[in-house]
Amino acid sequence: MTVIRDVVCPFCGCLCDDLEVTVEGNKIVKTRNTCAISSAKYMHHEENRITAPSVDGREVPLDEAVEAAAEILASARRPLVYGLSSTECGAIAKAVELAELVGGVVDNTASVCHGPTILALQAVGESKCTLGEVKNRADLVIFWGCNPTEAHLRHLIRYSGMPKGLYTPEGRKGRYIVAVDVRETRMKRLADQFLKIEPNGDFELLSALRAAVREVKVQAETVAGVPREQIEALAERMKRVKMGVIFFGLGLTQSDGRHMNIDAAVGLVADLNHHTKFVLTPMRGHYNVAGANTVTAWQTGYPYAVDFSRGYPRYNPGEYTAVDLLARGEADAALIVASDPAAHFPADAARHLARIPVVTLDQKVNMTTMLSKVVIPVATAGVEAEGTAYRMDGVPIRLRKVVEPSDGVLPDAEVLQMIIDRVRALKEGA
Amino acid sequence: MRSLIVKGGYVYDPLNGVDGERMDILISGGKVVEELDEREAKVVDASGMVVMPGGVDLHSHIAGSKINIGRVLRPEDHRKDPVPRTRLTRSGVGYSCPSTFVAGYRYAQLGYTSVMEAAMPPLGARHVHEELNDTPILDRTAFTLFGNNYFTLKYVKAGDMGMLKAFIAWLLRATRGYAVKIVNPGGVENWKWGRNVGGLDDLVYNFEVSPRQIITSLARANEELGLPHTIHLHCNNLGVPGNYETTIDTMEAVRDIKPREGRRATVHIVHCQFNALDGDNWMNVRSGAAKIARYVNAHSHVTLDIGQAIFTDTTTMTGDGPWQFRLHNLTGNKWVNSDVEMEAGAGVVPYTFRKNNPANAIQWAIGLELALLIYDPWRVYMTTDHPNGGPFTFYPKVISWLMSRKARTETMLEIHKACMRRTTLAGIYREYDFGEIATVTRAATAKALGLKDKGHLGPGADGDVSVYDIDPTDWRPSMYRQVEKAFSRAAYTIKGGEIVVKDGEVVAAPPGTTIWADVKIPEDAEEELMRDLEADFRSYYTISLANYPVQDEYLPVQERVAVDGRRGW
């Protein structure tokens, strides 16, 4: 029995790196320091696994599945490569290379979550920090349109709520926590102040706060259901603190206004920097969605929605994003890595996915594997394979391998390299 | 690999005292050799051309979180400059924030074979190395940020040189870094409270140490350890009119530090153009370059690089968070700030240097004044602080300005006349020759970095050679456009004995080597340091000490420079 310490959790963007995993034989028997989700990921990583590569539902040797995948991608006119946020960076790099090779489109799950955050960044920038800055300095923490108590379970404990840091010796007591949401979540009990706002009222409330920070009188009695006095008081508090931070989630990025909401938040934070230190940080979901953006950006210049059909990268969210490409019926083949778009995409997009040949690399059976022509099982990064992942704040951490994958099951990056080699051979043969 | 003979070129190898002599360069096994079997070798015909060691850029931002923020931030920049894939090369984008592959290809096309990434935040070191691994051809190092690190401040405050030295050795190893980089010492820590420092004797909050103490302690530790390069310093007050005084104060502060054996310098001042402003504000700003040059000419302990400004749209990115916020407020351009716990910070702001802007015209002149007024080319190096002053792809343009007064005059006539009245450039007649260009772009930079096998073509040197299609015997400064053209597209770039560029096109893209400094310190000093680190890591970092050091997987091709820091412990 071995206890492996400092294990990095490959589930959410918190990328906690203090896990302890106990292994007996090649089996995980116990975990420590995990949240409920993380524990489930480790303890049940063997369940519901894809047992063998398959083509058209027929089990085949790996080479044959790779050959079939290569043929589909090499002969497609507009192949889509999608997913990538729940695998390690080496695989992401290979996926980008493959998309370039076949002149396809590569997109990652950011396009359906924090894509608007990136659009806002491209318009106005952002002021951000790593999570340790929050732990060590922040005395005002605002959660806007996100609920870490259910989505990022250890965020409050490790980074943003409770921990005692360098200049926050009192921990939770020294921090004022504000939660802004359209419904009363568990954050209400935890926060010092809860602002229940009207759905789709984020832009207005952020703008009113910004006005108050700039000492412009807000005329309306209430904005998005929040009384003027409360807005002014919060603005005053924001200016007075030593360091403030806004964490925001899909409540901000996927409600009306989308990237305009983030624009407003960035503007508010920029203004606050004339008074004190203020930053904002998106609560990234998948453990390596930040890595998917990072790798794609250094290889192509663009973080997602990249089209290689002209031989060089072009970027246009809304056109080269997976949902749009599928819903328009444009993609004629797809490679899905570490994602389940069939279960999560809008019906039009999912329906088209079912009509075209799909190659899927995944560990487990899901809706996408069920409609795929080629399915190749892979090792789970962070459990059965190493690699880099980028935390929600951009800190790169090396994932650890705690158990060996089953015989013949390879990591994503190796399978993608095999497909690249076959595609290259096919293209050069032709 | 076949051996190579670079035949019949005019060789400029300043470190070996070769100045334009016609001679052959022989390369075998990736190294320059004295003799080889000519029948076996491939011949590169360089007759009538200039032959130099491969270029060595000692200050550039090509890999890591800052440049990648720049890439994400600026799709509009990429649109100007898409790069298609070829059978051999990857696609990407160019201009001010090139993708990693394109940065590698384009440096090689200019005849550069080694590039130093000038600012690596320790927590983001893995990111830097991942990007460097996707940067083909170039050999490289990365400079680890120390100037605002919690442990640096803690040990400087305690006056504990032993712990400071042990920490430098440990962090360079943990990040696979090569040199001690300092950015706005103290100012970046204060920026984490939304403040800055205004000069060498301001204090850092909570630590009560001054930038002067930080700089001198790190410089002393650097020299006592005997690191290959001096401290690499981005001074306080960057971009503030009147800052030339701070810059000279800074140089003066490290004057009495004893340099390591075999070196006279104790400090390298980076992108000095941004720190050589005279005047009180942006309305009456003028050049302070002449004053800095006077100081540097009289003191041998300083080296600097110019950080030449280019009239173009570019992306500024520094580890100097408060400066980037200031620039955001000056320009109204979009702004990214990125603070790194316990260690560092950074900012990114797009910026356009405009010909009709008086301050920009002055900044353009300052870079050239520094290069021309400092007599010793071994102590002033050509950079644009890519991409801060402008993209590195403008190096040929800078070379033409250095080599030709006519080129400078023509530019001066196009730009705001402030450059005539508020700088001394119009009165400078000096023109660099090819030997001096070879010095400020490869020989002197390699020497300053302590990279013994780079920057020269003597036996044992790395087989890194660039060949430029221009005849130095038949060239006059008025023909500056020819020189610009020749330096834009190397006739040949040879990297480790392999031809990687021919006629300006990439013909091979082998991986480069990452070089880092492996400093040995006494075991008990290391143990004491680790005890201290463990406690603070647990309390204040958000990543465990065990997961912190860069693993060897991130350096598939690496070279350690062993440094014995135990001497004089």
Side-chain angles (χ1 to χ4, degrees), chain A residues 139-380:
Chain A
D139 53 350
L140 173 62
V141 183
I142 300 173
F143 294 94
W144 198 304
C146 58
N147 179 6
T149 62
E150 284 172 64
H152 296 88
L153 302 191
R154 295 180 75 211
H155 195 279
L156 284 153
I157 298 161
R158 270 172 65 81
Y159 308 124
S160 57
M162 323 313 174
K164 294 176 178 166
L166 196 51
Y167 305 110
T168 50
E170 293 181 297
R172 174 67 185 89
K173 263 194 283 176
R175 287 190 186 90
Y176 192 79
I177 296 182
V178 181
V180 184
D181 216 324
V182 294
R183 64 183 75 82
E184 286 171 4
T185 64
R186 282 165 63 181
M187 285 302 290
K188 182 175 180 181
R189 266 187 308 175
L190 217 134
D192 296 294
Q193 187 182 0
F194 184 84
L195 295 180
K196 185 167 184 290
I197 66 167
E198 289 163 4
N200 300 320
D202 306 273
F203 182 84
E204 285 81 353
L205 185 57
L206 285 161
S207 303
L209 273 167
R210 194 175 177 192
V213 165
R214 291 187 161 213
E215 283 165 15
V216 175
K217 189 82 187 154
V218 177
Q219 302 291 333
E221 288 296 317
T222 64
V223 177
V226 180
R228 181 169 64 207
E229 297 71 39
Q230 268 190 34
I231 294 170
E232 285 169 349
L234 182 57
E236 236 0 84
R237 183 184 289 277
M238 289 170 123
K239 284 156 75 170
R240 267 200 337 264
V241 296
K242 284 194 293 183
M243 186 214 176
V245 55
I246 299 175
F247 289 105
F248 63 97
L250 301 194
L252 210 50
T253 66
Q254 299 294 335
S255 59
D256 279 5
R258 292 185 173 224
H259 65 278
M260 293 304 295
N261 298 336
I262 321 300
D263 273 25
V266 170
L268 170 64
V269 166
D271 283 353
L272 283 162
N273 273 282
H274 290 281
H275 301 277
T276 184
K277 186 75 191 179
F278 228 96
V279 297
L280 78 170
T281 296
M283 299 285 264
R284 306 303 300 264
H286 296 297
Y287 74 88
N288 199 24
V289 61
N293 296 143
T294 300
V295 175
T296 311
W298 86 55
Q299 294 217 340
T300 72
Y302 306 110
Y304 67 109
V306 181
D307 175 24
F308 288 107
S309 62
R310 289 193 187 166
Y312 54 82
R314 291 186 299 163
Y315 169 66
N316 199 10
E319 185 176 4
Y320 310 137
T321 25
V323 168
D324 306 274
L325 205 71
L326 290 169
R328 282 198 310 272
E330 202 172 303
D332 63 347
L335 167 67
I336 310 295
V337 182
S339 182
D340 185 9
H344 300 115
F345 274 9
D348 286 352
R351 207 171 291 130
H352 185 70
L353 198 63
R355 281 197 288 262
I356 60 175
V358 176
V359 178
T360 297
L361 271 55
D362 212 313
Q363 301 102 39
K364 303 211 178 194
V365 178
N366 60 35
M367 279 182 67
T368 306
T369 61
M370 287 191 250
L371 59 71
S372 298
K373 188 172 170 66
V374 179
V375 179
I376 302 178
V378 286
T380 314

Side-chain angles (χ1 to χ4, degrees), chain B residues 127-195:
Chain B
H127 185 175
V128 171
H129 290 293
E130 285 206 302
E131 288 200 17
L132 289 176
N133 291 335
D134 272 350
T135 307
I137 303 172
L138 305 174
D139 287 348
R140 58 277 178 138
T141 69
F143 302 162
T144 308
L145 287 163
F146 276 91
N148 293 280
N149 188 296
Y150 164 83
F151 294 103
T152 299
L153 299 174
K154 179 175 167 180
Y155 301 143
V156 168
K157 182 184 182 184
D160 193 337
M161 285 300 286
M163 286 292 261
L164 183 61
K165 280 155 65 178
F167 177 63
I168 291 173
W170 176 79
L171 193 62
L172 286 177
R173 196 178 322 127
T175 58
R176 297 295 193 256
Y178 184 77
V180 172
K181 174 72 185 294
I182 306 169
V183 174
N184 185 7
V188 177
E189 169 60 26
N190 278 3
W191 172 241
K192 291 178 175 177
W193 300 118
R195 303 287 182 270

Side-chain angles (χ1 to χ4, degrees), chain B residues 239-536:
Chain B
V240 180
N243 62 9
Y244 84 92
E245 287 183 21
T246 311
T247 309
I248 291 177
D249 282 353
T250 305
M251 296 173 181
E252 191 62 14
V254 294
R255 191 171 75 159
D256 295 329
I257 287 165
K258 186 170 169 284
R260 68 165 269 187
E261 219 178 285
R263 173 163 77 211
R264 298 178 77 177
T266 53
V267 67
H268 176 79
I269 306 282
V270 300
H271 39 73
C272 193
Q273 172 267 121
F274 293 102
N275 284 78
L277 305 172
D278 197 353
D280 313 309
N281 56 54
W282 283 110
M283 300 307 289
N284 69 8
V285 67
R286 56 186 188 276
S287 166
K291 288 168 180 156
I292 288 188
R294 195 177 312 137
Y295 184 92
V296 174
N297 284 332
H299 297 87
S300 59
H301 69 284
V302 181
T303 64
L304 57 84
D305 66 85
I306 60 177
Q308 180 60 39
I310 307 292
F311 295 108
T312 188
D313 175 14
T314 192
T315 312
T316 69
M317 53 188 68
T318 70
D320 193 343
W323 155 248
Q324 299 290 160
F325 184 57
R326 191 190 272 256
L327 189 63
H328 157 64
N329 289 317
L330 275 171
T331 60
N333 291 345
K334 54 190 178 184
W335 163 62
V336 175
N337 176 71
S338 175
D339 295 333
V340 181
E341 67 205 58
M342 308 292 285
E343 299 179 344
V348 183
V349 177
Y351 188 79
T352 304
F353 289 94
R354 292 178 202 281
K355 288 182 174 171
N356 59 3
N357 175 319
N360 292 163
I362 290 164
Q363 286 183 286
W364 170 80
I366 289 174
L368 297 172
E369 282 182 284
L370 289 168
L372 296 164
L373 291 174
I374 294 172
Y375 303 129
D376 183 1
W378 292 93
R379 293 202 287 125
V380 56
Y381 316 130
M382 191 193 85
T383 66
T384 58
D385 182 19
H386 164 81
N388 284 296
F392 67 82
T393 46
F394 282 88
Y395 282 177
K397 188 110 203 152
V398 183
I399 290 173
S400 74
W401 285 324
L402 292 175
M403 294 188 80
S404 164
R405 184 165 187 270
K406 184 161 186 248
R408 300 197 290 268
T409 307
E410 283 184 8
T411 303
M412 273 190 277
L413 292 173
E414 288 172 10
I415 67 177
H416 195 281
K417 58 185 183 298
C419 77
M420 303 284 192
R421 288 181 284 118
R422 294 195 244 159
T423 80
T424 65
L425 188 63
I428 302 175
Y429 289 79
R430 183 178 169 197
E431 288 168 335
Y432 274 45
D433 59 25
F434 284 97
E436 286 170 313
I437 290 296
T439 306
V440 301
T441 56
R442 46 264 282 164
T445 47
K447 184 166 175 242
L449 290 162
L451 292 170
K452 292 195 171 56
D453 298 336
K454 305 269 178 211
H456 73 102
L457 297 172
D462 287 342
D464 302 346
V465 184
S466 27
V467 181
Y468 299 108
D469 186 6
I470 187 158
D471 185 343
T473 60
D474 180 33
W475 184 81
R476 295 178 305 284
S478 61
M479 296 152 66
Y480 65 87
R481 285 206 173 83
Q482 276 188 19
V483 93
E484 189 183 331
K485 194 171 153 228
F487 278 92
S488 298
R489 291 167 63 83
Y492 290 95
T493 304
I494 297 161
K495 168 71 192 358
E498 181 178 5
I499 298 171
V500 291
V501 171
K502 187 170 185 292
D503 299 329
E505 297 301 325
V506 174
V507 294
T513 302
T514 304
I515 304 164
W516 60 281
D518 190 1
V519 189
K520 241 193 168 50
I521 56 167
E523 271 172 33
D524 53 336
E526 183 148 359
E527 279 164 27
E528 194 189 342
L529 174 78
M530 292 320 289
R531 275 196 297 277
D532 200 43
L533 292 186
E534 270 164 29
D536 283 347

Side-chain angles (χ1 to χ4, degrees), chain A residues 17 122 128 130 132 315 388, chain B residues 79 134 334 337 341 544 554:
Chain A
D17 75 331
Q122 289 165 343
K128 60 175 185 169
T130 68
Y315 169 66
T388 319
Chain B
R79 296 255 161 132
D134 272 350
K334 54 190 178 184
N337 176 71
E341 67 205 58
S544 74
Y554 292 89

Side-chain angles (χ1 to χ4, degrees), chain A residues 49-131:
Chain A
R49 294 292 287 247
I50 300 161
T51 49
S54 64
V55 176
D56 291 322
R58 184 171 51 85
E59 283 194 13
V60 296
L62 179 60
D63 288 350
E64 239 173 79
V66 166
E67 186 66 35
E71 275 167 17
I72 289 169
L73 294 167
S75 61
R77 288 172 54 91
R78 196 138 177 77
L80 165 70
V81 177
Y82 177 78
L84 308 175
S85 303
S86 289
T87 186
E88 51 85 35
C89 291
I92 298 164
K94 290 290 164 206
V96 175
E97 186 180 346
L98 179 54
E100 180 192 287
L101 186 64
V102 298
V105 170
V106 62
D107 190 24
N108 51 62
T109 63
S111 72
V112 292
C113 58
H114 274 285
T117 304
I118 293 169
L119 291 179
L121 166 74
Q122 289 165 343
V124 292
E126 68 179 345
S127 170
K128 60 175 185 169
C129 68
T130 68
L131 293 166

